[in-house]
């Protein structure tokens, strides 16, 4: 990326630059996409400043690239227009990258710090070039070439390291050494590594309005839209990544701020085709400030510094509501200066806490100490903080943001704009971005967490908001009304009626949430057939908005505090069977020895249990209880080509029958176990030594039996207490393996008596099954290649 800019700047004095603006913009967009990929891939392994550097540089070059494309297409015709468009981004990324450089030097990452420093200097130099041509573009190009030199040094070091197989490593390029240092330093705990780049993006959007207020740019115009919408797009991505980091509140905050960025871009884009400034709906901004204030209050329990930071956005929304000119007024632009400064300070804290050994205090400890004396409020912490409804999910719960977007979209519809000029009132960003895009995001996350009904409703509502928002407030609708639009709305209402019916079995809050959205759909329908009573649409949106606000508060309280602070209500209709009320199936934590003992008692008494292993969850029964083995066999509808297997805890259990095994097979079992390798061995008299009795007919086939010693201390301890166990996968035959204790009962229902809860499985792949029936002739085969590859076997 820096090389492209260096070539462009060196050739800029020429009549025809070596790289046209259009081509350079496209290339920068490609480079920014690669940087995003690199940053996200890095973040999946360990928190690092490289994540922040990649995402920050990607946002810089994506905005830069779009502006170059606009200039190449003649949208920004004059050199002064391109200069004014680039300045807010350059002014922002100069201090932003300097913050990264300072933290990089303090954290012992000199190469990363050098890259950040050189790009920061290049940005500062280019910004100064726009005010004084005496500096010359060649000097800016030299700054970009220094970035290339640092990057080339690292590439050379990696090539030498790989060619010499680690014998030659230039200083700072040995990644194995860095990985060892990171592991020795430990993880960043609960620190969200994506919070810092999200805060730096808040600096970018604020800089657009700061530059106008301080006179750095003479006006706000179309050229500034790429910076605002790039920041908004990246913040939606960081919102998703924050859910991956299990940080619900910061993800919600970034979702909120992204809406403001798209709205600001829309306001700057509107004067491009009509010579006037759009108006902002005041009631909506008041509601938005209330949502920000509530989120700031709850975020203060997690991090008081972040909670105080969000109060600046409360002020920003109030300033926008009080100014008829909205983003063009001096009041909101003055608050934008405060946002710029506050974002820089809080970003510095987050950057340092990601990598620093000593953490900058954010006040969380004081809040915990204060709440420790309270019997009413207890912060929700621990491994079960984001436990999904079914199975293991990589994402935290996104319902807080989704309910908030319902509130925003509904109150945005209360705006009464000019039917002849619907675009003049800023409604589309609130309805389409909040009610559509972010609600769709929340529905996708809910689906990933196993919430099928909720995800279906969220996605359906998001589609409705997008279509209706663009149709009614995008100028496509006009004054005409269409029968075809009414038919489409009726189709949505039929889908929603099914959701209303299903929500009867979920809880009362969801029933009223889906039912009140029917009122919204009815208002859409009446408007489509030109029969909307005066005030009905406002009343319907207010009712739905208030119900959504209650759900927002309930979800926020549930994600922050233990216990249900605000009740969602129970199901209005109960079903018998799986999931109906309380279950008799015990769910016991695997970390307690007493839990393992209770599971052992249940197995000895003829029960079947789901337990964690070194791979996926399995359903087990004691070999000494033929009735339990038969029950496990029936509950699975076990297929003949997938017979049940046998597990032991030690080869000592087979010692009395050692003479019945060939020496080669015995040696292979000693070498292979304990491990996720099941060995299919010839059936023989040795089976009788395990006390299987009548249950032997359910294990293996007539010719062979699969046997294994698992590499899991909990499982082997349980076998020591019970004796050999019969094992099958904890899912109906033909379905996917079970990778979380919540899935066991959901899939098998009352056919399982207890579940030993060990959280998500360490692996999502089952064991490797090796055919050892002909091992003495020098041949082994594979029935299934699982977690252990063939080469290792």
């Amino acid at each position: 990326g820096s090389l492209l800019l260096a070539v462009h700047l060196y050739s800029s004095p020429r009549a025809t630059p070596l790289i046209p603006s259009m081509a350079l913009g496209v290339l920068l967009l490609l480079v920014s996409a690669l940087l995003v990929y690199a940053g996200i891939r890095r973040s999946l392994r360990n928190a690092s400043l490289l994540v922040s550097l990649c995402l920050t540089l990607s946002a810089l070059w994506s905005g830069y690239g779009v502006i170059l494309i606009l200039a190449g297409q003649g949208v920004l015709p004059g050199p002064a227009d391109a200069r004014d468009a680039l300045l807010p981004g350059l002014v922002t990324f100069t201090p932003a990258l300097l913050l990264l450089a300072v933290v990089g030097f303090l954290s012992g990452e000199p190469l990363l710090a050098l890259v950040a420093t050189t790009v920061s200097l290049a940005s500062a130099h280019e910004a100064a070039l726009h005010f004084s041509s005496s500096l010359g573009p060649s000097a800016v190009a030299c700054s970009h070439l220094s970035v290339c030199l640092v990057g080339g040094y690292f590439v050379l070091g990696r090539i030498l390291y790989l060619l010499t197989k680690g014998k030659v490593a230039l200083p700072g390029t040995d990644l194995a050494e860095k990985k060892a240092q990171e592991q020795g330093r430990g993880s960043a705990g609960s620190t969200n590594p994506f919070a810092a780049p999200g805060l730096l993006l808040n600096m970018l959007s604020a800089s657009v309005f700061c530059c106008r207020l301080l006179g750095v740019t003479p006006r706000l115009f179309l050229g500034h839209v790429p910076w605002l919408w790039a920041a908004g797009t990246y913040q939606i991505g960081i919102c998703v990544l924050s859910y991956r980091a299990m940080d619900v509140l910061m993800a919600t905050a970034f979702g909120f701020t992204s809406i403001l960025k798209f709205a600001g871009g829309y306001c700057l884009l509107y004067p491009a085709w009509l010579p006037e400034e759009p108006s902002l709906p005041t009631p909506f901004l008041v509601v938005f400030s209330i949502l920000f204030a509530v989120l700031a209050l709850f975020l203060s329990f997690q991090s008081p510094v972040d909670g105080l930071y969000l109060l600046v956005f409360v002020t920003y929304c109030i300033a926008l509501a009080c100014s008829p000119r909205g983003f063009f007024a001096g009041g909101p632009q003055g608050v934008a200066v405060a946002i710029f400064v506050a974002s820089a300070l809080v970003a510095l804290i987050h950057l340092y806490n990601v990598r620093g050994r000593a953490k900058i205090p954010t006040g969380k400890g004081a809040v915990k100490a204060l709440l420790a004396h309270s019997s009413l409020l207890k912060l929700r912490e621990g491994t079960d903080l984001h436990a999904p409804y079914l199975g293991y999910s990589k994402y935290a719960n996104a319902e807080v943001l989704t309910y908030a977007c319902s509130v925003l979209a509904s109150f945005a519809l209360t705006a009464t704009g000019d039917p002849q000029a619907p675009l003049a009132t800023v409604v589309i960003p609130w309805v389409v971005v909040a009610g559509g895009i972010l609600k769709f995001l929340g529905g996708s996350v809910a689906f990933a967490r196993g919430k099928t009904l909720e995800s279906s409703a969220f996605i359906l509502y998001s589609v409705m908001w997008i279509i209706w928002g663009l149709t009614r407030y995008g100028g496509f609708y006009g004054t005409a009304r269409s029968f075809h639009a009414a038919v489409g709305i009726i189709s949505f209402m039929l889908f929603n009626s099914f959701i209303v019916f299903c929500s009867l079995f979920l809880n009362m809050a969801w029933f009223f949430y889906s039912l009140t959205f029917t009122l919204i759909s009815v208002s859409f329908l009446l408007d489509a057939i030109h029969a909307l009573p005066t005030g009905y649409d406002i009343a319907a949106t207010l009712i739905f908005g208030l119900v959504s606000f209650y759900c927002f508060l309930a979800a926020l309280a549930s994600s922050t505090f233990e216990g249900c602070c605000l009740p969602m209500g129970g199901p209005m209709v109960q079903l018998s069977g799986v999931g109906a009320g309380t279950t008799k199936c015990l769910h016991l934590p695997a970390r307690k020895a007493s839990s393992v003992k209770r599971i052992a008692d249940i197995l000895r008494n003829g029960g079947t249990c789901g337990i964690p292993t070194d791979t996926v969850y399995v359903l087990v029964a004691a070999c000494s209880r033929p009735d339990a083995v038969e029950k496990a066999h029936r509950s699975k509808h076990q297929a003949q080509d997938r017979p049940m297997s046998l597990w032991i805890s030690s080869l000592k259990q087979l010692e009395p029958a050692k003479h019945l095994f060939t020496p080669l097979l015995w040696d292979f079992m000693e070498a292979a176990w304990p491990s996720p390798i099941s060995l299919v061995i010839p059936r023989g008299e040795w089976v009788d030594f395990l006390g299987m009795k009548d249950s032997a007919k359910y294990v293996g086939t007539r010719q062979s039996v699969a046997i294994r010693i698992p590499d899991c201390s909990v499982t082997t301890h349980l076998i020591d207490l019970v004796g050999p166990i019969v094992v099958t996968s904890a899912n109906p035959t033909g379905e996917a393996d079970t990778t979380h204790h919540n899935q066991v009962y959901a899939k098998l229902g009352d056919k399982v008596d207890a579940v030993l809860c060990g959280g998500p499985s360490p692996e999502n792949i089952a064991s490797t099954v090796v055919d050892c029936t002909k091992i003495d002739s020098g041949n082994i085969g594979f029935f299934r290649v699982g977690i252990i590859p063939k080469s290792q076997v």
Side-chain angles (χ1 to χ4, degrees), residues 138-401:
S138 298
V140 185
C142 288
S143 299
H144 283 294
L145 281 178
S146 60
V147 181
C148 301
L149 291 176
V150 176
Y153 170 81
F154 182 79
V155 172
L156 177 63
R158 292 306 300 160
I159 292 174
L160 289 175
Y161 184 87
L162 294 174
L163 291 178
T164 61
K165 297 182 178 180
K167 295 180 181 178
V168 177
L170 297 179
T173 62
D174 188 353
L175 296 184
E177 181 182 351
K178 287 189 66 177
K179 184 177 180 181
Q181 291 175 354
E182 289 174 355
Q183 291 176 347
R185 187 177 298 182
S187 63
S190 59
T191 302
N192 178 3
F194 306 106
L199 295 166
L200 296 177
L201 290 171
N202 285 336
M203 292 175 60
L204 174 60
S205 59
S207 174
V208 172
F209 303 105
C210 292
C211 289
R212 171 65 191 92
L213 181 68
L214 300 176
V216 178
T217 54
R219 60 196 172 103
L220 295 172
F221 71 115
L222 173 65
H224 295 144
V225 175
W227 294 122
L228 292 171
W229 283 6
T233 304
Y234 274 78
Q235 276 206 328
I236 290 179
I238 289 174
C239 174
V240 177
L241 293 172
S242 295
Y243 284 122
R244 281 291 297 266
M246 301 298 169
D247 192 349
V248 174
L249 300 183
M250 286 303 290
T252 307
F254 290 137
F256 283 2
T257 53
S258 69
I259 300 172
L260 286 174
K261 293 170 178 54
F262 282 105
Y266 177 88
C267 290
L268 269 59
L269 187 64
Y270 181 79
W273 63 79
L274 285 177
E276 59 182 15
E277 298 172 357
S279 60
L280 294 173
T282 300
F284 171 85
L285 291 167
V286 173
V287 172
F288 206 178
S289 66
I290 293 173
L291 291 177
F292 261 119
V294 173
L295 182 62
L297 175 63
F298 281 89
L299 188 57
S300 298
F301 293 107
Q302 176 180 301
S303 172
V305 169
D306 294 331
L308 291 173
Y309 169 71
L310 280 191
L311 292 179
V312 185
F313 286 94
V314 176
T315 309
Y316 191 50
C317 292
I318 295 174
L320 287 171
C322 296
S323 304
R325 297 183 61 205
F327 293 97
F328 295 91
Q333 291 173 7
V335 181
V337 176
I339 292 177
F340 186 92
V341 176
S343 299
L345 294 175
V346 179
L348 177 62
I349 294 174
H350 279 272
L351 284 170
Y352 186 78
N353 286 347
V354 165
R355 297 298 297 153
R357 292 181 181 273
K359 309 297 182 185
I360 298 176
T362 59
K364 182 178 180 180
V367 172
K368 289 180 66 175
L370 184 64
L371 293 180
H373 303 288
S374 173
S375 59
L376 298 176
L377 299 178
K378 185 178 181 182
L379 287 177
R380 185 184 291 274
E381 294 179 314
T383 56
D384 295 332
L385 173 60
H386 303 286
Y389 178 66
L390 287 181
Y392 173 57
S393 174
K394 296 180 180 179
Y395 298 90
N397 197 346
E399 289 188 358
V400 175
L401 176 61

